[in-house]
Amino acid sequence: MVTRPTLFLTVGLPGTGKTTEARRIEVEHQALRLTKDEWVRALYGLANPPSASDVIEGRLIEIGLRALELGVNVVIDFGLWGRDERSALRQAAADRGAAVEMRYFELSPTEQRRRLDRRQAEEPHTTWPLSDEELAEWAAIISVPTAGEPDGSEAIDAPPAGFATWDAWRRHRWPRTMTLDRPGRR
């Protein structure tokens, strides 16, 4: 009996438990875990350059999609705050015959701050300091998944205007190389 691979998406703000869950999925589902922060730390150390974020995410997504084609489960661990990002990845998985499981993580701002402070104190090599202002800004811009996104009952949206396919949008959103004139996004 052949089972199709699964793309696991962790969605949420910093400190909400995405990486902890991604590590659990990695073990339980024998999934390739792609955690952006680990790659940024390995490549840039203490720096966290916004210009590198999109490219690293794009490279990890390309690796993940190839792994799905090879029949390997994959867990993408880097927030996915936009519905358009999630739609593009849901479509990419479907195009490769893979299932998708989305996990959304949410905490009160007080608990989120407590967890981030604990992580900064106990494992500073795995994170960067985050201000309350940054957290509030990001909480205001995240597009919380609808009930139909995580359970897959909601159809995937059409690509945004100006893009014929989700693949075209995905390649625009997550470029393959860094450009100096493109502002970074988290």
Side-chain angles (χ1 to χ4, degrees):
M1 185 168 116
V2 176
T3 60
R4 65 186 187 150
T6 300
L7 175 63
F8 296 89
L9 303 175
T10 62
V11 180
L13 294 169
T16 56
K18 296 180 310 296
T19 300
T20 299
E21 177 68 3
R23 288 179 178 137
R24 187 188 67 71
I25 292 168
E26 175 185 29
V27 171
E28 289 183 7
H29 297 276
Q30 298 177 337
L32 173 63
R33 180 174 55 87
L34 301 170
T35 300
K36 178 184 76 172
D37 287 352
E38 292 174 357
W39 285 80
V40 173
R41 285 298 259 185
L43 294 170
Y44 295 97
L46 297 177
N48 187 7
S51 60
S53 184
D54 292 347
V55 174
I56 291 171
E57 287 179 6
R59 289 295 182 170
L60 294 176
I61 288 167
E62 292 302 317
I63 291 166
L65 295 178
R66 180 63 181 132
L68 289 174
E69 292 170 352
L70 296 171
V72 176
N73 294 328
V74 174
V75 56
I76 300 283
D77 174 29
F78 46 79
L80 301 170
W81 298 350
R83 181 180 172 100
D84 49 2
E85 295 172 324
R86 299 186 301 267
S87 292
L89 293 175
R90 289 173 62 205
Q91 185 63 59
D95 291 346
R96 288 156 179 81
V100 176
E101 288 190 29
M102 186 183 306
R103 313 280 169 89
Y104 173 60
F105 301 88
E106 184 176 32
L107 293 173
S108 70
T110 301
E111 178 62 13
Q112 181 187 22
R113 170 51 53 201
R114 187 189 69 74
R115 285 185 181 192
L116 290 169
D117 289 346
R118 185 180 72 220
R119 183 168 67 192
Q120 186 67 45
E122 295 174 2
E123 301 178 88
H125 62 283
T126 67
T127 191
W128 296 268
L130 300 173
S131 70
D132 289 339
E133 293 76 23
E134 287 173 307
L135 296 176
E137 176 187 333
W138 298 334
I141 63 172
I142 188 173
S143 173
V144 174
T146 61
E149 276 186 278
D151 72 15
S153 64
E154 193 170 308
I156 298 170
D157 298 333
F163 297 94
T165 66
W166 275 115
D167 277 343
W169 183 89
R170 181 172 44 83
R171 287 186 182 102
H172 172 77
R173 167 63 182 89
W174 291 295
R176 294 172 184 254
T177 59
M178 289 179 34
T179 59
L180 298 177
D181 60 344
R182 181 181 163 91
R185 291 172 39 182
R186 265 195 146 328

